[in-house]
Amino acid sequence: MNLSPLQQARYEYSPKLPGMLRHGISEICVSEGAPTQSVADQDKISALFPNTYGKKEITFQKGQNTSAPKKQVVGVILSGGQAPGGHNVVCGLYDALKATSSENVLYGFKNGPSGLLEDDYVVFDDAFINAYRNTGGFDIIGSGRTKLETKEQFAVAAEVCKKHGITAIVIIGGDDSNTNAAVLAEYFAANNTGVQVIGCPKTIDGDLKNEDIECSFGFDTATKTYSELIGNIERDANSAKKYWHFIKVMGRSASHVALECALETQPNICLISEEVAEKKMSLSQIADQIADSVAKRAAKGMNFGVAIIPEGVVEFVPEFSVLIGEINELLAGSKADAFNALATWEEKYAFIEKGLTKESMAVFALLPQTIQQQLFLERDPHGNVQVSLIESEKLFSALVAAKLKKMKADGLYNGKFSALHHFFGYEGRCAFPSNFDADYCYSLGYNAFMLIQYGYTGYLSKISNLSRPADEWVAGGMPITKMMNMERRHGEDKPVIRKALVELNGKPFQYFEAHRATWAEDTCYTYPGAIQYYGPASVCDITTRTLALEKGN
Ligand code: FBP
């Protein structure tokens, strides 16, 4: 195999474990804390999880290992979108499992949860694992978005586990996957299968966090990668002085990625979807805000700038959500065929005009024609508009261009506006994990095995105190049910892990809010540069600004 020098060097990197996990397996003991309760809807959640609800928070510490000796056969699954560090979760799990007993076995189910249902797996050994240490990607076993949620699937999973003598399943995933891990744990416990389930918090979106989980893995590396690129673009903008760059960044719904990139690079504009929703901002108001920055900078002779747009923003614009709802209704069932049979865009436009309310038609009319057409082309399997595919970076630059044209006619603006568009998402999901993610992920995997060894099920592997150096990190576990509440999903009340959106009264947003007016008018760009893997800890081991601000250091 051809290896890049960095890949070769990263194989040799020894991830840092929390101090309490460094003593060797025989010297890790468990300390149980208080019983837990779900964050809300305690009666309903406890009734749905009679076997796994209310369990105690646990922490590991130095002391005699008192876990019962038992051969462990563990299956691991990567679920959902890639996030840097996933390989290290598997490596940490493998190392702890083998350090406990060479008889222990680790299965990797391929291509996500479907691998468990289809009994499609690999069995790891040293040579296999060593080729993936500290590398990005999920290619070690692949990932997938099949949801493990029905009783029928659970029964198949139980059969597969029985066939291989599997004692525990580790699910590495986001809020939905870990919700399903909790439901699977409950099913296994209720049916006395003897199979434990442990989750690990993954997603570059950063929206699986709460008072127990300080951040999901992958967020650190992905945001550092995007911030490097945004910083480079800022420097280019400031050199050429002729373009406004509209940069969409991933984050299916929450704006944590956009906010972190803004804190790292100090762009002229960064939209925060949660604020758009809170203030019920219209598309026109958002465009005004950006046009205002363009005009103020132009008045100072700066016809360039950078605007960060979170991927999910349009869904948070109330009038846009209503429009999407009406379009879904307009094309429901066989009505789509009538629409598709129309030959020209003019005929289609007339059909749309007839079907939408006056208010939604006014919003629709504001959109550039390419976006209007996108709304009718890109449909999901249920026939709904796929909002995530809307090129919002192009939408906002077109709206701003229209505003500026009017401002020019009114004598309020006399600059030049030339826009370029970017979308950063896939570029960051498989980067070599930063030292932080390499260390954090390895610790999550190692710790997941300790939870298995001590007999816990329905727990999320928890590493905390993350804004401090790794030797001060705290390892333990939290019942997943503690993070759950009831939410309406597809017309039904369901127990789910609460998704963490950006808090407008949280310190990261408040810092941004306090500085953004200056950033909008002046050029205050900061250039984070590429992730550094070797060198002083002050450069190589720094975590995100979000975590630092949240933790007050
Ligand atoms: P997860 O929540 O599954 O970790 O995935 C996050 C994400 O990267 C989002 O930021 C993005 O909207 C989505 O996945 C893209 O999904 P896909 O990989 O299926 O295109």
Side-chain angles (χ1 to χ4, degrees):
M1 194 176 18
N2 287 332
L3 300 179
S4 73
L6 183 64
Q7 192 174 349
Q8 183 68 58
R10 289 312 275 170
Y11 286 165
E12 311 301 325
Y13 176 75
S14 293
K16 299 185 270 300
L17 281 170
M20 65 194 54
L21 297 183
R22 289 184 190 178
H23 309 289
I25 299 281
S26 61
E27 287 185 70
I28 301 175
C29 73
V30 71
S31 154
E32 290 201 328
T36 56
Q37 287 206 326
S38 58
V39 281
D41 307 308
Q42 290 84 9
D43 291 347
K44 287 185 181 151
I45 308 275
S46 61
L48 288 166
F49 295 88
N51 295 282
T52 50
Y53 185 83
K55 301 285 183 208
K56 293 174 179 162
E57 167 176 7
I58 74 115
T59 311
F60 291 112
Q61 57 190 38
K62 185 174 172 9
Q64 179 62 42
N65 186 328
T66 56
S67 62
K70 168 182 175 187
K71 178 177 175 187
Q72 298 287 3
V73 182
V74 178
V76 63
I77 299 170
L78 290 160
S79 180
Q82 283 71 251
H87 287 167
N88 267 25
V89 182
V90 179
C91 295
L93 177 63
Y94 177 84
D95 286 353
L97 169 142
K98 288 291 182 188
T100 302
S101 163
S102 58
E103 298 293 297
N104 289 342
V105 183
L106 183 62
Y107 283 76
F109 286 102
K110 290 195 202 158
N111 305 322
S114 62
L116 176 60
L117 302 176
E118 291 159 13
D119 197 14
D120 188 9
Y121 62 87
V122 294
V123 177
F124 292 110
D125 59 20
D126 288 357
F128 196 143
I129 284 286
N130 289 345
Y132 290 93
R133 290 185 187 276
N134 308 302
T135 57
F138 277 8
D139 45 313
I140 188 169
I141 43 175
S143 185
R145 292 198 182 275
T146 302
K147 291 190 189 310
L148 272 186
E149 56 186 353
T150 66
K151 289 254 159 61
E152 294 71 30
Q153 290 174 321
F154 295 163
V156 174
E159 271 308 304
V160 172
C161 290
K162 196 168 159 197
K163 175 177 160 196
H164 299 293
I166 284 177
T167 51
I169 295 285
V170 174
I171 296 181
I172 303 170
D175 54 334
D176 279 345
S177 304
N178 279 298
T179 292
N180 295 335
V183 182
L184 182 63
E186 178 63 31
Y187 175 91
F188 281 164
N191 290 280
N192 295 316
T193 59
V195 183
Q196 298 159 239
V197 182
I198 300 295
C200 289
K202 171 233 72 167
T203 174
I204 63 152
D205 290 4
D207 54 10
L208 172 48
K209 72 174 167 183
N210 47 49
E211 60 178 28
D212 296 306
I213 302 302
E214 295 177 6
C215 75
S216 54
F217 80 75
F219 178 71
D220 187 87
T221 310
T223 54
K224 283 189 167 88
T225 305
Y226 306 142
S227 297
E228 180 207 350
L229 299 174
I230 295 167
N232 294 351
I233 285 177
E234 286 178 337
R235 203 135 212 178
D236 197 291
N238 197 16
S239 307
K241 304 195 189 298
K242 60 179 181 181
Y243 295 123
W244 261 86
H245 293 267
F246 285 73
I247 305 172
K248 180 167 79 171
V249 292
M250 257 190 188
R252 190 190 302 270
S253 58
S255 303
H256 298 292
V257 172
L259 179 56
E260 172 61 22
C261 292
L263 296 171
E264 291 281 355
T265 62
Q266 306 190 172
N268 305 102
I269 293 287
C270 175
L271 303 180
I272 300 296
S273 307
E274 292 81 347
E275 183 184 28
V276 166
E278 171 80 17
K279 296 187 174 161
K280 298 192 174 38
M281 290 172 81
S282 64
L283 290 177
S284 178
Q285 283 169 321
I286 299 172
D288 278 340
Q289 187 189 324
I290 306 174
D292 183 58
S293 166
V294 175
K296 283 187 172 142
R297 288 176 62 74
K300 294 182 180 182
M302 295 182 287
N303 287 299
F304 64 92
V306 170
I308 300 179
I309 315 287
E311 184 183 7
V313 66
V314 286
E315 281 187 88
F316 287 72
V317 178
E319 60 181 9
F320 202 86
S321 300
V322 174
L323 169 67
I324 298 294
E326 286 188 23
I327 293 177
N328 287 338
E329 195 51 42
L330 191 62
L331 297 190
S334 59
K335 286 185 268 178
D337 299 336
F339 177 81
N340 290 331
L342 298 170
T344 64
W345 175 243
E346 284 66 36
E347 286 172 276
K348 287 180 173 166
Y349 197 92
F351 177 98
I352 296 164
E353 204 162 18
K354 236 169 80 194
L356 295 181
T357 58
K358 214 170 108 237
E359 293 73 22
S360 287
M361 192 58 212
V363 178
F364 187 73
L366 259 184
L367 307 176
Q369 200 187 88
T370 45
I371 303 279
Q372 289 178 336
Q373 290 175 338
Q374 256 173 34
L375 291 177
F376 285 85
L377 284 178
E378 311 285 4
R379 335 270 306 151
D380 73 9
H382 309 286
N384 294 328
V385 174
Q386 281 187 269
V387 184
S388 64
L389 296 181
I390 295 169
E391 293 173 303
S392 43
E393 68 282 24
K394 293 191 180 153
L395 165 63
F396 285 109
S397 87
L399 295 177
V400 169
K403 294 266 174 199
L404 293 171
K405 198 168 162 202
K406 180 156 187 327
M407 285 165 76
K408 202 167 240 178
D410 296 343
L412 299 171
Y413 164 72
N414 190 23
K416 284 191 192 129
F417 178 72
S418 179
L420 292 177
H421 307 103
H422 316 263
F423 171 38
F424 297 148
Y426 301 98
E427 293 81 349
R429 300 200 311 180
C430 286
F432 278 100
S434 60
N435 285 354
F436 173 83
D437 270 328
D439 299 345
Y440 181 39
C441 291
Y442 188 82
S443 303
L444 284 169
Y446 201 95
N447 187 61
F449 184 73
M450 296 316 302
L451 291 166
I452 293 168
Q453 186 66 10
Y454 273 100
Y456 293 99
T457 189
Y459 275 65
L460 204 56
S461 177
K462 171 180 163 178
I463 305 288
S464 51
N465 211 24
L466 294 173
S467 62
R468 305 290 306 152
D471 62 333
E472 294 173 37
W473 289 358
V474 178
M478 187 56 71
I480 302 176
T481 50
K482 174 168 183 248
M483 303 163 196
M484 293 178 124
N485 65 172
M486 300 298 292
E487 285 178 25
R488 199 98 189 130
R489 297 276 169 96
H490 306 297
E492 263 181 81
D493 285 338
K494 292 250 177 187
V496 293
I497 296 178
R498 202 182 254 175
K499 202 184 259 307
L501 298 180
V502 169
E503 286 179 14
L504 301 185
N505 57 5
K507 289 193 183 135
F509 180 79
Q510 285 183 345
Y511 181 92
F512 167 68
E513 195 180 27
H515 293 84
R516 66 177 160 188
T518 315
W519 299 354
E521 247 182 85
D522 299 327
T523 299
C524 307
Y525 305 149
T526 43
Y527 312 116
I531 296 174
Q532 302 297 309
Y533 299 95
Y534 301 96
S538 58
V539 176
C540 299
D541 293 349
I542 40 168
T543 171
T544 57
R545 296 274 293 133
T546 302
L547 190 61
L549 286 163
E550 280 171 350
K551 295 291 157 197
N553 49 36

